């Protein structure tokens, strides 16, 4: 079992890795300046640490996509590249006391998504019935249908954000009403802030597992998990079963604080499952943690329990010399 | 001879590596947001790619140290740590059409310079007789005396910046009048912009060699070199001999564009000389290159010619997978 360099990529939060059919791992994440979207690629996970990024989209000078570009994910859907990301018009809070992000989509139909900024077309906002703080969208396909999962504020519900699912008409348009499948309710989901965000989906053992991140983004940040039989109605909230305990959390002794906002990929063997997440290594941050760039991307393999659920273990210690 | 990963550290420009007596390499550089100074350390050069940085100083909200924090260098002088960096009050140009940076110094007397921001004290501006654009200071010691070398604009001289040397009273105060030792004059120093900046010093073969960077920071950016016998009067400009050709430059075929702003260190064997520099890998940049984060830190060994001068070779191609 490969042990990767830890951390793998410094100062990249909300990491997303996609292994494409061309043999490359594609990596994107929030950059510390929150001002652009970059992609890098390498043939190995370790190579991503040295792979030169390419800027493929920049924030606008003003308007809905001009502030705090967060958590891009790159997806390859029916022969085209799509990136989902959250952006805001302002850094001010809204009447709910929340940031004002909405979700946006850009598309590239060049086989090489890193060729040029010119290849990327803006598809606009992913509109949802509620016009509130929304972020961290991901998507997956089942039986030729595309599903969209994201985090959003509902002013009628206590806390920051809940998780929703919809079927999509196309990669930037919802087809069905959003169904809420999780809200912050357990104590480990409501530390300092009541948060469910950063959903990621993995399919195994006749189920979909949906991991997400909960609580404030300090040492309380941790990962929870939902699951659903893979032949169930994905749009029926009652089919989604939530685990009552976190599945991945801080290791205070090893100075691994607030692991989360994960994604999934496969090792170079195309078999071993890899957990991708970010983590901090110190908590005595001056000022707003949002502007402390030291959330670092880590990757580690994980295994499966006899009951068919994933066993993520705990955040690996640093191992560089 | 070790071939290091290329690039070694992505998105760090103006890289500076210092190998300390504690066995660690300390690394600092300009960060893409130009908003803070960070330090990372590792026991190997390769380890620096994975070493988690620590923020040790942040730009002020307003005033002389509030904009465009550039090119920090960390030096260990008489038992204390010092960082020199350039900062500006505004992003506007001055009457000379130049940025408005001045040089500043911060000091830390804790043995571990990464322990906390609280350990770093501001020593203020390094004042020079001319109140003009100044940047990229470095320092070195000879016979117990400390010398300061930097780049500065002289309104009476054509071009952007020249190189100067002074003896220092203490690490943040000049003792002598600045002596200009180089100005942009050759065609390769004056492409698009007439620039001499980013000085770095290495001692070998009874000489000091001073490398610097010239021309615009695109594919024209390259390294020039001065030298002086190590027993000569360092403050007599006529003792400094300038090479009429660049010593390190772009390799267009390998997409290594504008190598420069170098520093020097030693390999893990404490013998092999290492050139540290940044380089771009594409030139079709949208907008201001200053805000394209893709200058990457590279390190490579170099040798010495029979005539006692350094042979830097050319920028190594990328070698990550």
């Amino acid at each position: 079992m490969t042990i990767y360099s830890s951390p793998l990529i410094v100062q990249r939060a909300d990491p997303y890795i996609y292994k494409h059919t061309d043999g490359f791992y594609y990596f994107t994440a929030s950059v510390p300046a929150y001002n652009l979207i970059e992609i890098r690629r390498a043939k190995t996970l370790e190579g991503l640490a040295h792979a030169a990024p390419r800027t493929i989209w920049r924030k606008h000078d003003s308007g809905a996509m001009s502030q705090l570009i967060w958590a891009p994910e790159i997806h390859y859907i029916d022969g085209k590249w799509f990136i989902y990301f959250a952006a805001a018009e302002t850094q001010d809070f809204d009447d709910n006391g929340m940031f004002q992000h909405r979700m946006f989509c850009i598309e590239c139909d060049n086989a090489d998504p890193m060729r040029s900024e010119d290849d990327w077309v803006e598809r606009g906002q992913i509109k949802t019935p509620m016009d509130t703080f929304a972020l961290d969208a991901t998507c997956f396909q089942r039986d030729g249908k595309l599903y969209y999962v994201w985090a959003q504020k509902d002013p009628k519900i206590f806390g920051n954000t809940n998780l929703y699912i919809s079927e999509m008409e196309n990669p930037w348009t919802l087809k069905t009403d959003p169904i809420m499948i999780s809200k912050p309710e357990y104590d480990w989901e409501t530390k300092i802030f009541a948060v469910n965000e950063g959903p990621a989906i993995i399919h195994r053992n006749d189920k979909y597992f949906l991991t997400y991140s909960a609580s404030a983004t300090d040492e309380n940040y941790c990962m929870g998990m939902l699951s659903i039989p893979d032949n169930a109605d994905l749009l029926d909230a009652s089919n989604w079963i939530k685990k009552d305990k976190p599945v991945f959390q801080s290791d205070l002794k090893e100075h691994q604080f607030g692991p989360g906002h994960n994604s999934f990929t496969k090792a170079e063997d195309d078999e071993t499952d890899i957990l991708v997440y970010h983590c901090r290594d110190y908590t005595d941050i001056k000022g707003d943690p949002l502007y402390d760039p030291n959330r670092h991307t880590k990757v580690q393999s994980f295994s499966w329990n006899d009951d068919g659920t994933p066993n993520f273990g705990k955040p690996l210690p640093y191992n560089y010399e």
Side-chain angles (χ1 to χ4, degrees), chain A:
Chain A
M1 196 180 65
T2 309
I3 302 291
Y4 298 96
S5 289
S6 171
L8 183 66
I9 302 170
V10 303
Q11 296 189 351
R12 286 298 180 273
D14 315 320
Y16 189 83
I17 298 178
Y18 164 65
K19 189 173 192 178
H20 190 45
T21 53
D22 63 4
F24 282 101
Y25 288 99
Y26 288 81
F27 173 80
T28 190
S30 298
V31 303
Y34 306 131
N35 61 342
L36 54 78
I37 297 174
E38 63 173 28
I39 305 173
R40 66 180 82 181
R41 71 175 173 192
K43 288 183 178 161
T44 66
L45 288 168
E46 202 69 28
L48 290 173
H50 299 280
R54 179 90 192 194
T55 304
I56 60 90
W57 183 87
R58 290 160 205 271
K59 76 178 186 65
H60 296 189
D61 288 338
S62 61
M65 289 180 272
S66 64
Q67 297 285 339
L68 299 176
I69 310 306
W70 287 355
E73 287 199 4
I74 184 165
H75 293 267
Y76 191 74
I77 303 169
D78 297 338
K80 293 183 181 179
W81 296 97
F82 294 89
I83 288 178
Y84 296 111
F85 62 97
E89 184 169 0
T90 169
Q91 301 202 15
D92 293 340
F93 292 148
D94 64 14
D95 292 342
N96 299 317
M98 307 291 294
F99 277 117
Q100 304 201 32
H101 290 73
R102 301 293 183 272
M103 284 301 305
F104 297 87
C105 179
I106 56 177
E107 174 186 327
C108 167
D109 68 0
N110 192 304
D112 176 3
M114 293 177 62
R115 197 194 65 91
S116 168
E117 292 179 49
D118 296 333
D119 293 335
W120 286 87
V121 177
E122 294 178 355
R123 290 299 183 196
Q125 185 186 339
I126 318 275
K127 291 196 173 142
T128 57
M130 286 191 296
D131 186 30
T132 58
F133 179 54
L135 73 169
D136 291 355
T138 190
C139 68
F140 67 106
Q141 287 179 286
R142 187 188 73 175
D143 300 335
K145 291 181 177 176
L146 184 64
Y147 295 88
Y148 181 72
V149 179
W150 72 102
Q152 189 160 8
K153 168 71 180 177
D154 181 342
K156 298 191 300 294
I157 295 177
F158 166 77
N160 289 42
T161 51
N162 317 303
L163 297 178
Y164 298 86
I165 187 170
S166 277
E167 193 188 331
M168 301 202 92
E169 183 69 40
N170 61 40
W172 60 92
T173 312
L174 300 196
K175 183 177 188 173
T176 62
D177 282 338
I179 305 296
M180 189 181 76
I181 53 176
S182 180
K183 63 181 179 183
E185 48 199 331
Y186 294 107
D187 67 319
W188 52 271
E189 294 180 295
T190 53
K191 293 273 182 74
I192 303 182
F193 294 114
V195 169
N196 278 185
E197 67 181 21
I201 288 129
I202 187 168
H203 182 229
R204 179 66 62 93
N205 302 330
D206 305 322
K207 284 184 178 172
Y208 290 105
F209 296 94
L210 187 159
T211 55
Y212 61 93
S213 298
S215 290
T217 64
D218 56 9
E219 63 269 33
N220 293 302
Y221 207 54
C222 62
M223 281 167 48
M225 190 171 75
L226 308 170
S227 62
I228 189 170
D230 60 7
N231 58 1
D233 181 357
L234 300 173
L235 301 180
D236 180 346
S238 68
N239 289 331
W240 289 89
I241 308 301
K242 180 164 165 174
K243 200 166 177 337
D244 61 357
K245 293 199 167 52
V247 293
F248 199 63
Q249 54 194 307
S250 292
D251 184 341
L252 305 184
K253 191 166 137 270
E254 292 288 351
H255 291 251
Q256 298 295 326
F257 300 116
H261 212 298
N262 77 292
S263 59
F264 296 109
T265 190
K266 292 275 193 185
E268 289 78 358
D269 64 8
D270 277 324
E271 288 190 2
T272 307
D273 288 299
I274 300 289
L275 177 68
V276 183
Y277 63 99
H278 74 233
C279 204
R280 292 189 184 277
D281 61 2
Y282 58 92
T283 55
D284 54 327
I285 291 168
K286 308 272 177 188
D288 189 339
L290 185 62
Y291 298 103
D292 183 291
N294 290 317
R295 292 181 288 177
H296 308 305
T297 292
K298 301 178 70 187
V299 301
Q300 61 192 68
S301 60
F302 64 92
S303 58
W304 296 83
N305 299 311
D306 291 342
D307 68 359
T309 59
N311 179 353
F312 296 122
K314 53 188 191 174
L316 283 186
Y318 282 178
N319 62 12
Y320 67 87
E321 291 216 314

